[in-house]
């Protein structure tokens, strides 16, 4: 039996290059060695978007299409939608009886997000419970590993603490999940700020070739280089960070860097070569994405079927949880 991996992503719109290097490439690779469960965390999207959930449905479909296009294989991994597996909610409720509120209040993302998303009222019960729902997502499958970014490590710590507290009261039921951290290249947006949909500085997996060329042309680069014969800085320059992340032709990249440092190459050449490399990488993703979106019935059936498979796993755990918590007074039959 392969060790189990569980990870989720909120459906917050079109996926971009940050998702690809930050999660999807890793998710795809993990399919070799692990029994992977990947899900769209649509209830988690509601923790911040509860006042206007109208965009979520489209984002769910976009996410699934992008995942499959990026190499997440529904034949090998269990892809599902959180809200199709109500056991996540049941376990979240039961865990909410056990978790002390200060444990949730001291999770760093709680205050950070409240500060950052000032236009939204995040003083809700559901938002406070975000990492507890995440805990339920993970332990309901008895995951061994959770591939996440650095920012999510405190969430996993909370998960392990909650599991231990649960075990103290009711006996052993769950695995203690461990984070699976991979070196993730930090990529800025095309304007050199943090890459984010809300800044409009992303290159999306669904962008067509011309859009990619246009965005690369606008990309922030060394501002000191007002002319091509001025020596430029490669380190921390977004154009070269993207070359490093996406251009497989290392000789070409090294040659561009050397000439850039000497003031012997124009930005146009550096950027044209980047756009070409990006489009070469994105082309097969675009094709697969189009195939998925052209078959909405296939997608629907696949996701319903594999959400059922997830539900069977989750239900088996919940049987043990109800048993441990002495909740089986009468069986429904
Ligand atoms: N919090 C994660 C994020 O924003 C999404 C998520 C929800 C998740 N549930 C999860 C990730 C369970 C891993 C496991 O990226």
């Amino acid at each position: 039996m392969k060790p189990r991996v569980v990870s989720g992503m909120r459906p917050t719109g079109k996926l971009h290059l940050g998702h690809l290097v930050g999660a999807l490439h890793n998710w795809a690779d993990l399919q070799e060695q692990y029994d992977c469960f990947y899900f769209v965390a649509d209830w988690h999207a509601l923790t911040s978007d509860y006042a206007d959930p109208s965009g979520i449905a489209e984002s769910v479909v976009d996410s699934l299409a992008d995942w499959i296009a990026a190499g997440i294989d529904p034949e090998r991994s269990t892809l599902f939608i959180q809200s199709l597996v109500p056991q996540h909610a049941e376990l979240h409720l039961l865990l909410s009886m056990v978790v002390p509120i200060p444990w949730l209040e001291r999770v760093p993302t709680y205050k950070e997000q409240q500060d950052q998303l000032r236009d939204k009222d995040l003083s809700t019960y559901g938002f406070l419970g975000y990492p507890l729902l995440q805990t339920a997502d993970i332990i309901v499958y008895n995951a061994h590993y959770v591939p996440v970014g650095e920012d999510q490590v405190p969430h996993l710590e909370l998960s392990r603490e909650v599991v231990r507290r649960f075990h103290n009261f009711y006996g052993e039921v769950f695995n203690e999940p461990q984070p699976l951290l991979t070196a993730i290249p930090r990529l800025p947006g095309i304007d050199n700020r943090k890459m984010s949909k809300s800044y409009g500085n992303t290159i999306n997996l669904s962008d067509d070739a011309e859009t990619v060329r246009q965005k690369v042309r606008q990309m922030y680069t060394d501002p000191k280089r007002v002319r091509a014969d001025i020596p430029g800085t490669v380190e921390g320059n977004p154009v070269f960070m993207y070359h490093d992340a996406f251009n497989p032709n290392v000789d070409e990249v090294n040659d561009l860097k050397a000439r850039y440092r000497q003031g012997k190459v124009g930005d146009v050449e550096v950027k044209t070569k980047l756009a070409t490399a990006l489009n070469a990488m994105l082309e097969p993703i675009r094709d697969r994405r189009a195939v998925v979106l052209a078959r909405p019935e296939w997608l629907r059936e696949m996701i319903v079927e594999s959400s059922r498979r997830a539900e069977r796993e989750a239900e088996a755990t919940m049987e043990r949880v109800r048993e441990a918590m002495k909740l089986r007074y009468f069986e429904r039959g």
Side-chain angles (χ1 to χ4, degrees):
M1 282 276 280
K2 294 175 174 174
R4 180 162 295 166
V5 153
V6 170
S7 201
M9 211 185 273
R10 280 169 302 149
T12 50
K14 299 243 182 328
L15 300 196
H16 51 65
L17 293 179
H19 296 108
L20 199 62
V21 295
L24 293 176
H25 278 158
N26 189 27
W27 285 15
D29 292 344
L30 292 170
Q31 298 178 113
E32 289 290 326
Q33 286 179 48
Y34 298 96
D35 175 23
C36 297
F37 282 62
Y38 296 130
F39 68 97
V40 182
D42 54 343
W43 280 333
H44 274 105
L46 285 176
T47 61
S48 51
D49 294 348
Y50 60 88
D52 177 18
S54 56
I56 294 178
E58 192 186 332
S59 293
V60 169
V61 173
D62 269 328
S63 299
L64 290 168
D66 282 336
W67 293 6
I68 296 167
I72 311 300
D73 178 359
E75 303 276 315
R76 281 199 289 171
S77 300
T78 305
L79 261 64
F80 65 98
I81 297 174
Q82 187 183 36
S83 63
L84 291 183
V85 187
Q87 285 80 356
H88 292 229
E90 182 183 356
L91 183 54
H92 176 228
L93 174 88
L94 294 176
L95 297 176
S96 78
M97 309 300 166
V98 174
V99 68
I101 290 173
W103 290 17
L104 296 171
E105 286 172 333
R106 70 170 190 236
V107 172
T109 45
Y110 179 59
K111 290 236 161 51
E112 279 165 22
Q113 293 280 310
Q114 282 187 334
D115 286 344
Q116 274 167 28
L117 304 175
R118 286 209 167 277
D119 52 324
K120 292 177 181 162
D121 178 1
L122 297 183
S123 62
T124 58
Y125 185 48
F127 186 71
L128 179 66
Y130 184 114
L132 194 66
L133 178 57
Q134 182 165 349
T135 301
D137 297 337
I138 296 164
I139 67 177
V140 84
Y141 300 103
N142 276 304
H144 301 93
Y145 298 106
V146 185
V148 286
E150 199 76 58
D151 61 317
Q152 296 282 309
V153 170
H155 288 185
L156 261 290
E157 241 147 58
L158 173 86
S159 297
R160 285 196 303 278
E161 281 169 6
V162 169
V163 165
R164 279 183 225 125
R165 189 168 161 93
F166 185 100
H167 289 169
N168 274 336
F169 295 140
Y170 314 114
E172 298 268 326
V173 174
F174 304 109
N175 279 322
E176 277 187 35
Q178 300 295 328
L180 202 60
L181 284 172
T182 39
I184 290 168
R186 272 270 152 247
L187 279 183
I190 58 171
D191 58 359
N192 203 32
R193 293 192 292 170
K194 182 180 175 322
M195 195 191 306
S196 162
K197 184 185 68 154
S198 53
Y199 291 152
N201 62 4
T202 63
I203 294 176
N204 299 332
L205 304 190
S206 53
D207 285 343
D208 61 28
E210 185 46 37
T211 306
V212 170
R213 279 191 287 272
Q214 253 168 39
K215 287 182 175 177
V216 171
R217 237 178 273 136
Q218 294 162 19
M219 230 168 139
Y220 177 97
T221 180
D222 184 346
K224 295 190 310 299
R225 247 173 66 95
V226 288
R227 281 197 329 263
D229 59 358
I230 298 173
T233 305
V234 164
E235 286 68 33
N237 184 327
V239 176
F240 284 100
M241 290 165 90
Y242 277 55
H243 264 297
D244 282 334
F246 300 109
N247 189 344
N249 187 344
V250 178
D251 291 339
E252 176 176 279
V253 175
N254 285 338
D255 167 64
L256 289 173
K257 285 180 180 173
R259 289 195 284 135
Y260 197 81
R261 290 192 177 104
Q262 295 161 6
K264 288 192 174 148
V265 64
D267 274 5
V268 174
E269 183 182 344
V270 181
K271 288 182 167 178
T272 305
K273 287 185 165 149
L274 174 60
T276 302
L278 281 174
N279 276 325
M281 181 205 54
L282 288 172
E283 196 52 38
I285 296 181
R286 273 181 213 126
D287 290 348
R288 283 192 294 266
R289 194 176 188 283
V291 170
V292 173
L293 291 177
R295 296 159 70 203
E297 258 319 286
W298 172 83
L299 184 66
R300 199 191 62 82
E301 273 167 32
M302 183 279 289
I303 208 70
V304 168
E305 183 47 47
S306 90
S307 298
R308 275 208 195 96
R309 177 150 36 111
E311 179 170 14
R312 281 195 293 275
E313 291 287 324
E315 179 57 19
T317 306
M318 287 315 295
E319 288 286 324
R320 298 196 294 124
V321 169
R322 294 178 205 122
E323 182 75 37
M325 292 182 80
K326 313 267 184 284
L327 292 168
R328 302 176 85 185
Y329 331 105
F330 290 102
E331 296 294 343
R332 260 192 311 190

Coordinates of all heavy atoms in Angstrom, one line a residue, residues 6-10 39 41 44 82 130 134 137-138 146-148 152 155, ligand 1:
V6 N -3.0 13.9 0.8 CA -4.2 14.6 0.6 C -3.8 16.1 0.5 O -3.0 16.6 1.2 CB -5.2 14.5 1.8 CG1 -6.3 15.5 1.7 CG2 -5.7 13.1 1.9
S7 N -4.4 16.7 -0.5 CA -4.2 18.2 -0.6 C -5.4 18.8 -1.3 O -6.1 18.2 -2.1 CB -2.9 18.6 -1.4 OG -2.5 19.9 -1.0
G8 N -5.6 20.1 -1.0 CA -6.7 20.8 -1.6 C -6.4 22.2 -2.1 O -5.3 22.7 -1.7
M9 N -7.2 22.7 -2.9 CA -7.0 24.1 -3.3 C -8.3 24.8 -3.4 O -9.3 24.2 -3.8 CB -6.4 24.0 -4.7 CG -5.4 25.2 -5.1 SD -4.9 25.0 -6.8 CE -3.6 23.9 -6.7
R10 N -8.4 26.0 -2.9 CA -9.6 26.8 -3.0 C -9.9 27.2 -4.5 O -9.0 27.6 -5.2 CB -9.6 28.0 -2.1 CG -9.8 27.7 -0.7 CD -9.5 28.9 0.2 NE -8.1 29.3 0.0 CZ -7.7 30.6 0.0 NH1 -8.5 31.5 0.3 NH2 -6.4 30.8 -0.2
F39 N -8.5 17.6 -3.9 CA -9.9 18.1 -3.9 C -10.0 19.6 -4.1 O -9.1 20.4 -3.7 CB -10.6 17.6 -2.7 CG -10.2 18.3 -1.4 CD1 -10.8 19.4 -0.9 CD2 -9.1 17.8 -0.7 CE1 -10.4 20.0 0.3 CE2 -8.6 18.4 0.4 CZ -9.3 19.5 0.9
A41 N -11.5 22.8 -2.7 CA -12.0 23.1 -1.3 C -13.0 24.2 -1.5 O -12.8 25.4 -1.1 CB -10.8 23.6 -0.4
H44 N -14.1 25.9 1.7 CA -13.1 26.9 2.2 C -13.2 28.2 1.4 O -12.9 29.3 2.0 CB -11.7 26.3 2.0 CG -11.2 25.5 3.2 ND1 -11.2 24.1 3.2 CD2 -10.8 25.8 4.4 CE1 -10.8 23.6 4.4 NE2 -10.6 24.7 5.1
Q82 N -14.9 19.0 -2.3 CA -15.1 18.9 -0.9 C -16.6 18.8 -0.5 O -17.0 17.9 0.3 CB -14.5 20.1 -0.2 CG -14.5 20.2 1.3 CD -14.0 21.6 1.7 OE1 -14.2 22.6 1.1 NE2 -13.2 21.6 2.8
Y130 N -11.4 27.9 9.7 CA -10.7 27.5 8.5 C -9.7 26.3 8.7 O -9.8 25.3 8.0 CB -10.1 28.7 7.8 CG -9.4 28.5 6.5 CD1 -10.0 29.1 5.3 CD2 -8.3 27.7 6.3 CE1 -9.4 28.9 4.1 CE2 -7.7 27.4 5.1 CZ -8.3 28.0 4.0 OH -7.7 27.8 2.7
Q134 N -9.8 22.4 7.5 CA -8.7 21.8 6.8 C -8.2 20.5 7.5 O -7.8 19.5 6.9 CB -7.6 22.8 6.7 CG -6.4 22.3 5.9 CD -5.4 23.5 5.5 OE1 -5.7 24.6 5.6 NE2 -4.2 23.1 5.0
D137 N -10.5 17.8 6.6 CA -10.2 17.4 5.2 C -9.1 16.3 5.1 O -9.1 15.4 4.3 CB -9.7 18.5 4.4 CG -10.6 19.7 4.2 OD1 -11.8 19.5 4.3 OD2 -10.2 20.8 4.0
I138 N -8.1 16.5 6.0 CA -6.9 15.7 5.9 C -7.1 14.4 6.7 O -6.8 13.3 6.2 CB -5.7 16.5 6.5 CG1 -5.4 17.7 5.6 CG2 -4.5 15.6 6.6 CD1 -4.6 18.8 6.3
V146 N 0.8 15.8 3.6 CA 0.1 16.9 3.0 C 1.1 17.8 2.3 O 1.8 18.6 3.0 CB -0.7 17.7 4.0 CG1 -1.6 18.7 3.4 CG2 -1.6 16.7 4.9
P147 N 1.1 17.8 0.9 CA 1.9 18.7 0.2 C 1.4 20.2 0.3 O 0.3 20.4 -0.1 CB 1.9 18.2 -1.2 CG 0.7 17.4 -1.3 CD 0.3 16.9 0.0
V148 N 2.1 21.0 1.0 CA 1.6 22.4 1.2 C 2.8 23.4 1.1 O 4.0 22.9 1.2 CB 1.0 22.6 2.5 CG1 -0.4 22.0 2.6 CG2 1.8 22.1 3.7
Q152 N 1.5 27.2 5.0 CA 0.4 26.3 5.6 C 1.0 25.4 6.7 O 0.2 24.6 7.3 CB -0.1 25.4 4.5 CG -0.8 26.2 3.4 CD -2.2 26.6 3.7 OE1 -3.0 25.8 4.2 NE2 -2.5 27.9 3.6
H155 N -0.9 25.4 9.9 CA -2.2 24.7 9.8 C -2.0 23.2 10.1 O -2.8 22.6 10.8 CB -2.8 24.9 8.5 CG -3.4 26.2 8.2 ND1 -4.0 26.6 7.0 CD2 -3.3 27.4 8.9 CE1 -4.4 27.8 7.1 NE2 -4.0 28.3 8.2
Ligands
LIG1 N1 -5.7 26.0 2.9 C1 -5.3 25.5 1.6 C2 -4.8 26.7 0.8 O1 -5.3 27.8 0.9 C3 -6.4 24.8 0.9 C4 -6.8 23.6 1.7 C5 -8.0 23.3 2.2 C6 -6.0 22.4 1.9 N2 -8.0 22.1 2.8 C7 -6.8 21.5 2.6 C8 -4.7 22.1 1.6 C9 -6.3 20.3 3.1 C10 -4.2 20.8 2.0 C11 -5.0 20.0 2.8 O2 -3.9 26.5 -0.1

